[in-house]
Amino acid sequence: MKTWMLKTNNDPLTRTRNFLKDIWDYADLDGMLIPMYQADHKSVKQAVIHHPGSLRDADPFVPLMQANAGRMVADLARKHPNDNMAAILRPCEIRALYEQVKHTGVDLENWLLIGVDCAACFPLQDFNWRVEIAGNVEALTNEVLRNVRQGSIALDRFRPACGMCARPGTPQEEICIQLLGLPAKDTILIGINNDVIIEKLNLENVCDGLAPHELIQQREKMLKTIEERREHIRERQMNELTPDLPANIEQFITFLENCQPCTSCMEACPDGENIFSAIQNNTMNHEVVMDWISSCAECGMCEQACPKEMPLVAIADRIRRDLHVESLPI
Ligand code: SF4
Ligand code: SF4
């Protein structure tokens, strides 16, 4: 992988938007899926934009996740197979998207996937008051960006699923926007692992030179620290699961059947279609639940949607461990 610098001049958001505009032009895109500020700049939504000028209201680093965009990319790729598109995705969205590719064979030939390091997301119920205190969404994002050098803001303020996520660094995507461990007010990094893309996107001119080895190492060191810290949190959350919560597949089936008519977790899950139709049709079995938890991207959308606030990511992880099933790679 080649790693380049973006000099941010105290404004990493604006520098990244300008970088994305350049990418848009060189890649000759028809559209981009990216979090967009709504008119009041106090809320944000994933949206497809069709003009690079709209990027002035885009926020690739917003600390909120209302839905898993990996699933949205798969749906869009099916509906508009000939459009030349890009998407900004967090690591858990990339994992979910690859599960969609595996299960549905959706073709991403015309998609440019741009991964971003994830500095974690606030719980839905906290986001609005945090925006009010900060002034607007952009100010809240900037607050988070000021803390990426140390990894992120104190983890107990974020969603439990983010606290457990040991893999917040972008995997080896076509383009990776790298933040963690870096002095974002001065420099962020762009990793590219494809020489054709480097040439096509004119990276030599779009970026501000190749990254020095020290900065690359600084980020890698931070990713290692985050991994160790969060594995520790994961253990703690696992140990805090109470005995009444499911510890194996059969108990999980009974637990989900007892929740009916609620199916919110399955509907929010990027890969929840099969389990949703199984519970609707009364055909839940060991295999369906096993498939569900084996393809889990650990995005936390299920527990965010759960009216009973069940720790579903930790429950699924405990069952996977018990069965020696690995988490998804990357
Ligand atoms: S089960 Fe939950 S954490 Fe796993 S992919 Fe589905 S929504 Fe995300
Ligand atoms: S969202 Fe919560 S209450 Fe609803 S089915 Fe899932 S675990 Fe049960």
Side-chain angles (χ1 to χ4, degrees):
M1 173 179 281
K2 278 210 174 82
T3 309
W4 307 71
M5 284 188 293
L6 291 185
K7 300 302 277 179
T8 56
N9 197 20
N10 227 358
D11 191 353
L13 257 177
T14 300
R15 182 65 186 95
T16 307
R17 289 174 186 137
N18 288 336
F19 168 74
L20 293 174
K21 270 185 209 156
D22 289 337
I23 295 281
W24 188 305
D25 290 340
Y26 285 113
D28 196 20
L29 295 175
D30 296 316
M32 185 182 282
L33 178 69
I34 189 166
M36 292 293 295
Y37 298 149
Q38 301 302 284
D40 58 0
H41 282 226
K42 303 251 170 155
S43 52
V44 70
K45 264 206 177 114
Q46 284 284 352
V48 175
I49 54 172
H50 294 282
H51 191 276
S54 304
L55 282 165
R56 66 179 168 274
D57 288 328
D59 188 341
F61 311 127
V62 67
L64 179 74
M65 197 168 154
Q66 290 151 303
N68 190 310
R71 174 60 191 268
M72 291 179 209
V73 169
D75 290 343
L76 285 163
R78 271 188 290 270
K79 276 189 207 144
H80 309 285
N82 299 321
D83 288 0
N84 194 23
M85 302 288 289
I88 307 291
L89 298 169
R90 299 170 193 278
C92 60
E93 294 175 320
I94 292 171
R95 291 195 283 274
L97 176 57
Y98 287 161
E99 284 305 292
Q100 285 286 308
V101 171
K102 201 155 72 182
H103 296 155
T104 68
V106 61
D107 183 0
L108 299 177
E109 178 72 28
N110 291 332
W111 281 79
L112 182 65
L113 302 180
I114 304 173
V116 286
D117 277 359
C118 181
C121 295
F122 292 115
L124 274 181
Q125 65 272 23
D126 291 354
F127 185 75
N128 289 348
W129 66 260
R130 286 191 182 279
V131 167
E132 279 308 319
I133 290 174
N136 56 37
V137 182
E138 180 159 338
L140 186 63
T141 297
N142 279 325
E143 207 177 293
V144 171
L145 288 170
R146 278 195 289 280
N147 288 276
V148 290
R149 189 174 193 156
Q150 294 83 253
S152 65
I153 295 181
L155 274 174
D156 56 1
R157 302 193 203 158
F158 287 114
R159 302 180 314 144
C162 297
M164 287 173 70
C165 175
R167 298 168 294 166
T170 43
Q172 307 284 300
E173 271 325 303
E174 285 166 323
I175 301 179
C176 312
I177 302 179
Q178 304 175 344
L179 303 171
L180 295 169
L182 299 174
K185 68 179 172 52
D186 180 63
T187 310
I188 61 174
L189 300 182
I190 304 292
I192 313 249
N193 67 2
N194 182 323
D195 285 336
V196 178
I197 298 243
I198 291 175
E199 202 169 316
K200 180 175 171 190
L201 301 182
N202 197 9
L203 265 265
E204 209 165 320
N205 292 319
V206 165
C207 297
D208 303 311
L210 283 171
H213 191 55
E214 302 78 65
L215 277 185
I216 298 172
Q217 273 195 324
Q218 198 170 307
R219 174 174 177 270
E220 278 167 11
K221 204 167 150 208
M222 178 49 69
L223 289 179
K224 190 88 199 119
T225 305
I226 292 174
E227 186 182 336
E228 285 165 10
R229 204 184 287 162
R230 298 204 185 162
E231 287 296 353
H232 202 69
I233 295 172
R234 184 181 280 260
E235 277 313 310
R236 202 184 62 214
Q237 293 195 7
M238 209 76 70
N239 293 335
E240 283 172 359
L241 290 174
T242 51
D244 57 311
L245 292 171
N248 59 46
I249 299 255
E250 277 60 41
Q251 287 173 7
F252 202 17
I253 291 174
T254 309
F255 170 88
L256 291 169
E257 283 172 347
N258 287 342
C259 292
Q260 285 194 299
C262 179
T263 49
S264 299
C265 52
M266 305 160 206
E267 291 173 75
C269 175
D271 211 11
E273 269 175 358
N274 286 349
I275 192 154
F276 176 72
S277 62
I279 201 134
Q280 299 285 82
N281 300 324
N282 233 351
T283 55
M284 280 274 272
N285 60 31
H286 189 101
E287 199 186 343
V288 174
V289 179
M290 189 66 208
D291 282 351
W292 190 38
I293 63 171
S294 305
S295 64
C296 172
E298 301 180 43
C299 62
M301 290 297 99
C302 51
E303 60 186 28
Q304 184 165 282
C306 176
K308 294 194 218 159
E309 299 184 12
M310 288 293 154
L312 293 164
V313 179
I315 290 173
D317 200 29
R318 174 161 77 174
I319 298 173
R320 267 198 309 271
R321 277 185 192 205
D322 198 46
L323 294 169
H324 304 288
V325 173
E326 299 275 335
S327 291
L328 291 181
I330 58 168

